Amino acid sequence: MRLIIMGPPGAGKGTQAVFIAEHFKIPAISTGDIFRANVTRGTELGVEAQKYMNAGEYVPDEITNLMVRNRIDEPDAERGFLLDGYPRTLAQVEELDGMIAFTGHRLDGVVVLTADRDEIVGRLLQRAQTEGRADDTEDVIRRRQEVFAEQTAPLVEVYRGRGLLVEVDGMGAVEEVTRRIFAALDALPES
Ligand code: ADP
């Protein structure tokens, strides 16, 4: 099973990714988490990525693509994976297509969580108080939303055109959203 979960910052991708990955027994691969782990460890990748992340900008494609390629080459991703936060640009879509084709597999579905803009700014500001992420300040949150709208929202149409899109309303209780996701995934044509 090879899946992507997409949606604006604060839509609840990371939260839902855990349930989906558990269900299909595949690793949830979050590019944001991998970048943050590198920032914490002070690696070269982390130092480079942090400059962009703190400003709410995307890390350059070459850096991100290489990181994902290395991650999905690991043995636990052989049977499949759920990508959270990748691809985010059209260039990343192409790169991912190449990576998956190379292994002789195909993408099974793209879950898109839709969310109300004001509601998600509120969620992120709330999260800032508990998790203290450096990029959860109001200005940076607004910038992340702009970048999402400019660079990532167009990807939805690309995947819709391929018949892979599973659009799910991300508003409401966590369990309710999870239920909607599984119902929508069940409705995907069998691979
Ligand atoms: P959110 O979806 O809430 O913005 P993430 O944890 O997914 O948070 O990502 C945090 C930051 O990591 C992004 O703002 C960006 O700087 C960087 N990042 C994550 N994934 C990518 C990607 N695919 N391409 C470029 N940058 C990325």
Side-chain angles (χ1 to χ4, degrees):
M1 194 67 158
R2 283 162 187 79
L3 297 169
I4 295 171
I5 185 162
M6 278 178 50
K13 297 183 296 287
T15 305
Q16 298 298 336
V18 175
F19 300 123
I20 303 172
E22 208 168 75
H23 178 82
F24 292 109
K25 301 191 170 51
I26 49 178
I29 300 176
S30 157
T31 43
D33 284 351
I34 303 177
F35 282 134
R36 279 185 291 277
N38 277 276
V39 170
T40 305
R41 294 204 307 272
T43 67
E44 208 176 310
L45 172 68
V47 172
E48 185 61 21
Q50 191 171 28
K51 296 189 271 187
Y52 300 95
M53 294 169 76
N54 286 353
E57 305 294 336
Y58 286 166
V59 177
D61 285 336
E62 314 80 77
I63 299 178
T64 310
N65 287 335
L66 183 63
M67 184 179 86
V68 172
R69 183 181 290 275
N70 290 335
R71 178 63 188 86
I72 67 178
D73 268 350
E74 298 209 7
D76 68 330
E78 229 168 79
R79 287 186 50 252
F81 45 77
L82 168 66
L83 293 171
D84 161 11
Y86 184 93
R88 270 176 146 114
T89 64
L90 289 167
Q92 292 179 11
V93 168
E94 273 184 39
E95 194 73 17
L96 177 65
D97 286 342
M99 291 182 216
I100 295 180
F102 184 76
T103 62
H105 295 103
R106 62 183 191 79
L107 195 57
D108 296 290
V110 180
V111 176
V112 175
L113 288 181
T114 58
D116 175 77
R117 207 176 170 114
D118 291 328
E119 160 93 23
I120 61 184
V121 174
R123 283 188 188 176
L124 291 171
L125 289 173
Q126 189 97 35
R127 179 172 79 184
Q129 294 182 343
T130 52
E131 292 179 21
R133 256 176 63 168
D135 59 349
D136 279 346
T137 61
E138 184 144 9
D139 283 355
V140 178
I141 290 169
R142 298 269 177 213
R143 180 60 195 148
R144 278 157 56 208
Q145 289 188 321
E146 272 172 27
V147 174
F148 176 85
E150 283 163 18
Q151 303 208 44
T152 307
L155 273 50
V156 171
E157 297 317 314
V158 172
Y159 288 123
R160 193 194 308 281
R162 296 188 193 178
L164 291 174
L165 208 64
V166 174
E167 257 176 317
V168 175
D169 177 5
M171 297 290 93
V174 170
E175 315 80 67
E176 177 54 25
V177 177
T178 308
R179 199 194 54 71
R180 286 180 204 140
I181 292 175
F182 284 123
L185 282 175
D186 275 345
L188 265 184
E190 281 296 314
S191 42

